[in-house]
Amino acid sequence: MDRVIIFDTSLRDGEQAPGFSMNTAEKLEMARQLARLNVDVIEAGFPISSDEDFEATREVARQVGTLEGAPIICGLSRVGLMDIDRCWEAVKYARRPRIHTFVATSDIHLKYKLRKSRAEILQASVEAVKHARSYCEDVEFSPEDASRSDFDYMCDVLSAVIEAGARTINIPDTVGYAIPREWGERIARIREKVRGMDKVVLSVHCHNDLGQAVANSVTGVMNGARQVECTINGIGERAGNASLEEVVMALHTRKDFFGVETGVRTEEIFKASRLLSHITGIHVQPNKAIVGENAFAHEAGIHQDGVLKEKLTYEIMRPEDIGRPSNKLVLGKHSGRHALAARLKDLGFDLAGSELDRAFKKFKDLADRKKEVFDEDLMSIVTDEATQGPETYGLEYLHVISGTGVVPSATVKLRRDDQVFQDSGVGDGPVDAVLAAMEAITGLKGRLLDYSLRSATSGKDAIGEVSMKIDFDGTVVSGRGSSTDVIEASARAYLSALNRVVQPVGQRMTEVGP
Ligand SMILES: [Zn+2]
């Protein structure tokens, strides 16, 4: 059957969006899950944009791209030759590396952003592709802002880069302006008009500004595109990118209509979605297709009756198709290390040695406080553990007094290297008091931009997950923490953000890509 290549750009286009930035450890954790999901290509980053992005891309190539059956690891690069060198330096470790180079072809970008003529841009594109091909066979080219580019000029550029050796031609709707029928016609015309298109893969990359990203992507497939660029949970600039789970499940569920297939292991979709939410602290809306809390909940009486009588009456997909857990009790107080390791393995976390020791200790602490431990609780423990960057400050002790008629106050002890520092603070609530105490110890003053609290599971004893966005003197960082005690979770979230600031990251350039 005809195969559509699924190109995931959660770690590049998705990660660039405000509030979704991930450190290297977080990207690695996510990349491992993308490999289990069996996407065909992981776009791991934009190496020249910052040193952190370079390092993250390189580590994904080294640690995930070298695994048996690993996806292609791709890096993004502008058409500058030095950009391409830097990109190759990062992706070259993968078994199957790809260089993805792009340049804008719309007059509006040429005039205001690049200040170059059409001929200059065509020339630069050809040279870029040739240069990339001198490093590897697998080269992708994107004309940025394709939907607003002059059609004939763009086709000339595409014909020239295919001639120069590009293997994949990606057509982005960078500003999310296209409407399905028009977009489909455009893709079909590109196929007709561009010389050599029958020898390369045609790809689509759609943004969701008008809510058409998924519709445009599958319309692209109907018109001959055989690669779709998308992200988990549809994260991305502004209104986001086409959502991977929606594209994949549409193609999968309506195979009768599209007549194509993907290599994605759909049972890994739910885990990928939840892992991304855990890492970024940003959750999908309840009515989000495929992965939202209510996506499979048949609440209305008449539907429920129908579902109970015969599932297929209303269910076009089964929850197990995307790997939704049934929220069953998995582990309790008396479960041992082996049971924990086995359950974590099922969830996709292969821990051993000291990592497993730490997770087990956290699990025991949790099981003491909470009778039943669910899959979501475990994910919460482990993703925090696996993705926390280097810890400059650690929480040693926390004591909070709060209530009606008292001034909330907190005493905190933080460990830094071998030393323990203690201070206290007061505030207009217990969280404020804890943050004041931490400020007194570290001397770092943060302005809280956003605070959210969510329970990992149902039940009064559920783990609370706190996500924060904090502005430390112009550097905005996010942090998260979890505990059955929401004040402690808040303290941990603040501390994880603070630890990111004391391990400063470099500036990222403003260029964003297709
Ligand atoms: Zn994009």
mmCIF file of all heavy atoms in Angstrom, residues 12-13 174 205 207 237 241 513-514, ligand 1:
data_model
loop_
_atom_site.group_PDB
_atom_site.id
_atom_site.type_symbol
_atom_site.label_atom_id
_atom_site.label_comp_id
_atom_site.label_asym_id
_atom_site.label_seq_id
_atom_site.Cartn_x
_atom_site.Cartn_y
_atom_site.Cartn_z
ATOM 1 N N ARG A 12 11.239 20.884 16.945
ATOM 2 C CA ARG A 12 11.768 22.051 16.239
ATOM 3 C C ARG A 12 10.681 23.127 16.135
ATOM 4 O O ARG A 12 10.652 24.072 16.914
ATOM 5 C CB ARG A 12 12.301 21.633 14.863
ATOM 6 C CG ARG A 12 13.289 22.602 14.256
ATOM 7 C CD ARG A 12 12.667 23.819 13.613
ATOM 8 N NE ARG A 12 11.831 23.487 12.457
ATOM 9 C CZ ARG A 12 11.027 24.364 11.886
ATOM 10 N NH1 ARG A 12 10.935 25.598 12.329
ATOM 11 N NH2 ARG A 12 10.273 24.001 10.863
ATOM 12 N N ASP A 13 9.724 22.944 15.253
ATOM 13 C CA ASP A 13 8.694 23.965 15.087
ATOM 14 C C ASP A 13 7.843 24.085 16.358
ATOM 15 O O ASP A 13 7.480 25.182 16.780
ATOM 16 C CB ASP A 13 7.798 23.598 13.896
ATOM 17 C CG ASP A 13 7.311 24.820 13.140
ATOM 18 O OD1 ASP A 13 7.473 25.928 13.660
ATOM 19 O OD2 ASP A 13 6.754 24.662 12.039
ATOM 20 N N THR A 174 3.333 28.568 5.793
ATOM 21 C CA THR A 174 3.976 29.128 6.978
ATOM 22 C C THR A 174 3.035 29.993 7.808
ATOM 23 O O THR A 174 3.095 29.991 9.031
ATOM 24 C CB THR A 174 5.203 29.971 6.553
ATOM 25 O OG1 THR A 174 5.998 29.169 5.687
ATOM 26 C CG2 THR A 174 6.020 30.417 7.741
ATOM 27 N N HIS A 205 3.499 21.058 4.965
ATOM 28 C CA HIS A 205 3.780 21.562 6.319
ATOM 29 C C HIS A 205 2.761 22.670 6.574
ATOM 30 O O HIS A 205 2.878 23.763 6.026
ATOM 31 C CB HIS A 205 5.220 22.089 6.334
ATOM 32 C CG HIS A 205 5.637 22.748 7.617
ATOM 33 N ND1 HIS A 205 6.628 22.226 8.416
ATOM 34 C CD2 HIS A 205 5.214 23.877 8.242
ATOM 35 C CE1 HIS A 205 6.810 23.021 9.467
ATOM 36 N NE2 HIS A 205 5.968 24.034 9.390
ATOM 37 N N HIS A 207 0.210 25.185 8.927
ATOM 38 C CA HIS A 207 -0.050 25.848 10.204
ATOM 39 C C HIS A 207 -1.544 26.074 10.384
ATOM 40 O O HIS A 207 -2.315 26.095 9.427
ATOM 41 C CB HIS A 207 0.757 27.142 10.300
ATOM 42 C CG HIS A 207 2.158 26.873 10.766
ATOM 43 N ND1 HIS A 207 2.506 26.887 12.091
ATOM 44 C CD2 HIS A 207 3.268 26.523 10.082
ATOM 45 C CE1 HIS A 207 3.793 26.573 12.209
ATOM 46 N NE2 HIS A 207 4.275 26.351 10.999
ATOM 47 N N GLU A 237 4.183 27.386 16.531
ATOM 48 C CA GLU A 237 4.037 28.849 16.495
ATOM 49 C C GLU A 237 2.565 29.262 16.417
ATOM 50 O O GLU A 237 1.797 28.653 15.677
ATOM 51 C CB GLU A 237 4.710 29.389 15.223
ATOM 52 C CG GLU A 237 6.187 29.109 15.107
ATOM 53 C CD GLU A 237 7.029 30.184 15.764
ATOM 54 O OE1 GLU A 237 6.477 31.224 16.156
ATOM 55 O OE2 GLU A 237 8.236 29.961 15.889
ATOM 56 N N ASN A 241 0.862 23.766 14.639
ATOM 57 C CA ASN A 241 1.044 23.019 13.387
ATOM 58 C C ASN A 241 -0.071 21.983 13.273
ATOM 59 O O ASN A 241 -0.828 21.770 14.212
ATOM 60 C CB ASN A 241 2.385 22.278 13.441
ATOM 61 C CG ASN A 241 3.579 23.186 13.289
ATOM 62 O OD1 ASN A 241 3.783 24.078 14.105
ATOM 63 N ND2 ASN A 241 4.370 22.971 12.276
ATOM 64 N N GLY A 513 12.057 29.888 10.792
ATOM 65 C CA GLY A 513 11.948 28.794 9.832
ATOM 66 C C GLY A 513 10.532 28.593 9.336
ATOM 67 O O GLY A 513 9.638 29.314 9.728
ATOM 68 N N PRO A 514 10.352 27.584 8.466
ATOM 69 C CA PRO A 514 9.065 27.400 7.812
ATOM 70 C C PRO A 514 7.949 27.028 8.790
ATOM 71 O O PRO A 514 8.204 26.420 9.779
ATOM 72 C CB PRO A 514 9.304 26.273 6.824
ATOM 73 C CG PRO A 514 10.560 25.616 7.216
ATOM 74 C CD PRO A 514 11.347 26.593 7.994
HETATM 75 ZN ZN ZN B 1 6.239 25.722 10.624
#
